[in-house]
Amino acid sequence: SSIESSRIEIIEEYDEPQGNDDKIYLTESETGVLKYINGENSVLNLVEMGLFNKYKVYKSIYNLKKKGIIQPKETDTELEIERELLISSESSNHAKINITLISSLVLLIIIFFASIFKPNKPFNSENIIYNKTIIEKFINKTK
């Protein structure tokens, strides 16, 4: 269905619509995304175009649907495959990030303990493991 352009008004991104008339208020990001909704571009295509960040694209699509400007296309096998590929690539990215974070944390812990305990000089008097004065006090107390 087509909408009369006289009913559409462009507002700033965070402005609230004024009045209770029958106008349709669109934000700049909604109109920017709407230009590329043509029945061929998927949501993933719109995100990859880099028009706006992923959040703004999703929010604009949601708002356009809520306002009755667009409606979802019948999903077919190709769209389902594309959706599955997107989900699997995001989960593999999360796994890579988790492995990187864990590896970094382990490395930091090793460096921390190596700097405190000085394993190459385990009986150094500065070492926390062996402190001559503490051990002498302990021996003297037990005598």
Side-chain angles (χ1 to χ4, degrees):
S1 67
S2 68
I3 299 171
E4 297 173 29
S5 60
S6 62
R7 287 187 54 209
I8 297 174
E9 188 170 323
I10 308 300
I11 59 173
E12 292 294 320
E13 201 66 34
Y14 299 103
D15 284 354
E16 291 294 321
Q18 303 296 320
N20 292 331
D21 49 20
D22 63 343
K23 287 193 176 206
I24 298 173
Y25 297 92
L26 299 178
T27 65
E28 293 169 6
S29 60
E30 289 168 357
T31 56
V33 170
L34 186 59
K35 290 177 191 175
Y36 295 95
I37 295 177
N38 57 13
E40 299 297 319
N41 289 329
S42 68
V43 175
L44 181 59
N45 293 139
L46 296 172
V47 170
E48 288 176 345
M49 284 180 191
L51 305 167
F52 302 101
N53 64 35
K54 187 190 292 189
Y55 171 76
K56 273 197 177 186
V57 172
Y58 288 148
K59 181 180 176 188
S60 296
I61 290 170
Y62 171 79
N63 287 337
L64 289 168
K65 181 184 178 304
K66 194 169 118 182
K67 294 173 184 179
I69 306 286
I70 61 171
Q71 56 188 350
K73 186 178 177 182
E74 295 290 324
T75 58
D76 58 4
T77 309
E78 188 177 312
L79 290 175
E80 289 298 324
I81 291 170
E82 188 174 85
R83 186 177 296 133
E84 290 299 320
L85 287 174
L86 177 63
I87 291 169
S88 67
S89 71
E90 284 180 355
S91 64
S92 68
N93 286 343
H94 289 298
K96 288 176 187 173
I97 290 170
N98 287 341
I99 290 170
T100 305
L101 287 174
I102 290 170
S103 302
S104 300
L105 184 61
V106 168
L107 183 62
L108 285 172
I109 291 171
I110 290 170
I111 291 170
F112 174 74
F113 281 110
S115 67
I116 290 178
F117 295 120
K118 299 179 183 160
N120 55 344
K121 297 178 183 178
F123 297 107
N124 186 345
S125 63
E126 296 174 6
N127 201 329
I128 292 176
I129 294 175
Y130 175 77
N131 189 324
K132 191 174 182 180
T133 57
I134 293 174
I135 293 175
E136 285 176 354
K137 286 179 186 177
F138 178 76
I139 293 172
N140 290 335
K141 283 184 180 179
T142 57
K143 285 184 181 177

